[in-house]
């Protein structure tokens, strides 16, 4: 069975914190109104920067990974994000509670990532991963893992895709 590749949107795919609010090279600006966005009731839609090349990179990884959305966008990533990247509909983690309490100082997603993964190996890309998350996952998960903290000012870069490919290589 392939390892999971758990994909966060904001940070890895949407470098929302890019310097001086300038769109990074290679990215296109999209205006979106997902229902899960806390500002959805405002007149101004959410600005999302996406690099269409990331879709091809992720699809290339689908040979060795099962791709899964691990984002607060949940299933809406299939409606709003995937089409701009050329991705098919992907399974997603349906968080039982978002932004809630987490064990031992970990990020709130970490406990649910472990539940979703079960005993499968997984790689997880997110901008909120910390040393506490790595330590917790190392201690609690029975299979191999790769937790990659992605800089939310930069997003995914070539070296990240290379690392993911090398980690999952047979």
């Amino acid at each position: 069975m392939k390892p999971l590749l758990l994909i966060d949107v904001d940070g890895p795919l949407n470098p929302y914190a890019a310097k001086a609010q300038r769109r990074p090279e290679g990215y296109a600006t999209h205006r979106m109104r997902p229902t899960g966005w806390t500002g959805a009731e405002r007149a101004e839609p959410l600005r999302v920067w996406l690099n269409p090349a990331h879709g091809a990179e992720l699809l290339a990884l689908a040979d060795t990974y099962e791709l899964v959305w691990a984002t607060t966008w949940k299933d809406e990533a299939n409606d709003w994000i995937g089409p701009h990247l050329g991705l098919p509909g992907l399974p997603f983690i349906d968080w039982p509670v978002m932004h809630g309490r987490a064990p031992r100082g970990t990020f709130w997603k970490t406990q649910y990532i472990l539940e979703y993964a079960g005993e499968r190996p997984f790689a997880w890309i997110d901008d909120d991963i910390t040393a506490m998350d790595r330590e917790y996952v190392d201690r609690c998960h029975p299979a191999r893992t790769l937790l990659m903290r992605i800089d939310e000012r930069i997003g995914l870069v070539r070296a990240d895709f290379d690392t993911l490919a090398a980690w999952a290589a047979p």
Side-chain angles (χ1 to χ4, degrees), residues 15-91:
Y16 64 90
K19 191 165 129 182
Q21 296 297 310
R22 299 171 90 174
R23 182 180 64 215
E25 188 175 332
Y27 285 77
T29 301
H30 304 277
R31 303 288 180 189
M32 303 180 181
R33 292 185 186 275
T35 58
W37 181 50
T38 57
E41 66 281 352
R42 299 187 312 183
E44 187 70 26
L46 179 64
R47 182 214 67 218
V48 178
W49 288 325
L50 297 171
N51 184 334
H54 287 166
E57 295 282 4
L58 289 169
L59 287 174
L61 291 171
D63 290 340
T64 51
Y65 284 100
E66 179 184 330
L67 307 180
V68 177
W69 294 120
T71 174
T72 57
W73 291 73
K74 300 196 296 186
D75 189 35
E76 285 192 281
N78 286 316
D79 300 326
W80 294 97
I81 306 300
H84 292 291
L85 300 177
L87 295 175
L90 300 177

Side-chain angles (χ1 to χ4, degrees), residues 50-150:
L50 297 171
N51 184 334
H54 287 166
E57 295 282 4
L58 289 169
L59 287 174
L61 291 171
D63 290 340
T64 51
Y65 284 100
E66 179 184 330
L67 307 180
V68 177
W69 294 120
T71 174
T72 57
W73 291 73
K74 300 196 296 186
D75 189 35
E76 285 192 281
N78 286 316
D79 300 326
W80 294 97
I81 306 300
H84 292 291
L85 300 177
L87 295 175
L90 300 177
F92 65 97
I93 299 176
D94 191 9
W95 314 107
V97 177
M98 290 198 301
H99 310 289
R101 290 184 171 219
R104 300 181 185 233
T106 59
F107 180 40
W108 67 266
K109 286 182 183 178
T110 306
Q111 62 192 320
Y112 304 122
I113 294 284
L114 292 180
E115 286 176 19
Y116 187 88
E119 296 189 3
R120 289 179 71 179
F122 69 86
W124 175 24
I125 52 175
D126 202 298
D127 60 311
D128 286 308
I129 293 170
T130 68
M132 296 292 287
D133 299 298
R134 285 186 186 88
E135 190 177 295
Y136 185 78
V137 169
D138 285 347
R139 189 172 57 253
C140 298
H141 193 66
R144 50 186 212 121
T145 60
L146 174 65
L147 277 64
M148 293 180 60
R149 187 199 178 285
I150 306 300

